[in-house]
Amino acid sequence: NAIGLKTIEEAVAIRDRILTNFDRAANLPPGPERDRLLTVVVVGGGFAGIEVFAEMRALASSLLPDYPQLRFEDTHFHLIEAMSRIMPEVSLKTSEWVLKDLAKRGAYVHLDTQVTGAVDGNVELSTGEVLPTDLIVWTAGVMANPTVVRGSDLPVEERGRIRTRADLRVGTAEEVVDGAWAAAVIATLVHDVVNPATMADGSSGASDGQRLALADELRRLRRELDGRGCCPGGRRTGVAPRRVDLRSSV
């Protein structure tokens, strides 16, 4: 019933489904079938879920001028999160601000809610509500991409994620896999903080070239991101309640 968000192919399938459903809905009279085609459900309120939720909402809004038969009010976006908040990686204040911003965009978030079933496109919630939809996107749970992990002999931890050092090289504190680097959610850092100063003084164990290259890249990212919002808001824009200064974060 649901499409995941692990591969490029899945992302393309999500986009194509939205485009196709708009075409189909534009040729239908108002009613349950058109509502179903214009309803999107995302399961999971972590960074991946919030980002794809906001991007799809923004994509749908951008399509409306090309479909005069459809109105903004005809589109329905729901995100289901079992916890009492979204994005536990950020502060509660920031997550609450993101909720308000999404609500202004016509994207509704169901907190403290679980999916109890999904049969024939009918998403059943623990609240008793049923959401008929033609597009379910599943982002709940953070785990490694099984294609990457199972298809290699790289060291992994108990949750199946690739063990990665603070300098982003694959390996443990004692042993490094030569030439292997990893990032993103399939990786877990051996150390919590990546510090360019530590890397520059040689304590990370990386070669001089690797240390300098990564330190330069981190500084570039810091300059690029300084002052931008830290939370995804759709259409490659960020949302945050105030200016974000990353100079002390890297």
Side-chain angles (χ1 to χ4, degrees):
N1 282 311
I3 300 176
L5 201 61
K6 291 283 188 182
T7 67
I8 296 294
E9 290 77 13
E10 288 173 323
V12 171
I14 292 169
R15 181 203 62 187
D16 290 349
R17 181 73 61 85
I18 292 176
L19 297 177
T20 299
N21 284 359
F22 262 71
D23 285 338
R24 294 170 60 190
N27 292 299
L28 293 175
E33 180 59 17
R34 190 169 82 164
D35 289 343
R36 186 180 69 85
L37 292 172
L38 297 177
T39 297
V40 174
V41 175
V42 174
V43 184
F47 262 112
I50 292 296
E51 184 169 6
V52 72
F53 189 52
E55 289 288 350
M56 290 192 299
R57 171 68 271 183
L59 172 60
S61 296
S62 71
L63 291 174
L64 287 172
D66 297 326
Y67 296 90
Q69 312 94 319
L70 305 177
R71 303 172 302 162
F72 180 88
E73 295 77 14
D74 295 328
T75 60
H76 311 283
F77 282 75
H78 300 268
L79 183 140
I80 317 301
E81 170 53 49
M83 297 176 59
S84 58
R85 58 165 296 181
I86 60 171
M87 297 189 305
E89 302 89 348
V90 303
S91 69
L92 180 60
K93 182 177 180 180
T94 299
S95 68
E96 290 175 343
W97 190 90
V98 173
L99 284 175
K100 293 178 182 178
D101 187 78
L102 288 171
K104 292 178 183 177
R105 304 182 188 198
Y108 184 72
V109 177
H110 304 252
L111 297 177
D112 292 312
T113 306
Q114 295 179 328
V115 173
T116 59
V119 180
D120 296 329
N122 294 306
V123 179
E124 303 169 3
L125 306 182
S126 56
T127 59
E129 188 176 1
V130 177
L131 303 173
T133 178
D134 191 57
L135 177 55
I136 306 170
V137 180
W138 189 276
T139 68
V142 178
M143 63 175 293
N145 188 323
T147 303
V148 175
V149 176
R150 296 172 188 168
S152 74
D153 57 356
L154 296 174
V156 297
E157 41 94 272
E158 58 276 2
R159 296 181 62 186
R161 297 178 297 181
I162 298 174
R163 289 192 177 276
T164 307
R165 296 161 52 93
D167 56 9
L168 302 187
R169 290 187 297 165
V170 173
T172 65
E174 295 77 25
E175 186 177 358
V176 177
V177 179
D178 187 39
W181 301 70
V185 296
I186 66 167
T188 179
L189 292 178
V190 175
H191 304 292
D192 294 331
V193 179
V194 178
N195 189 329
T198 301
M199 298 175 65
D201 68 15
S203 59
S204 70
S207 68
D208 290 341
Q210 290 170 332
R211 289 197 303 271
L212 292 174
L214 184 54
D216 287 344
E217 179 64 9
L218 289 172
R219 292 188 183 101
R220 184 192 69 77
L221 289 173
R222 183 184 67 192
R223 290 193 299 270
E224 181 178 326
L225 293 173
D226 187 22
R228 297 187 184 182
C230 63
C231 303
R235 301 292 286 179
R236 294 173 293 178
T237 60
V239 293
R242 62 187 182 277
R243 180 179 175 84
V244 179
D245 188 350
L246 297 181
R247 285 175 291 181
S248 61
S249 301
V250 178

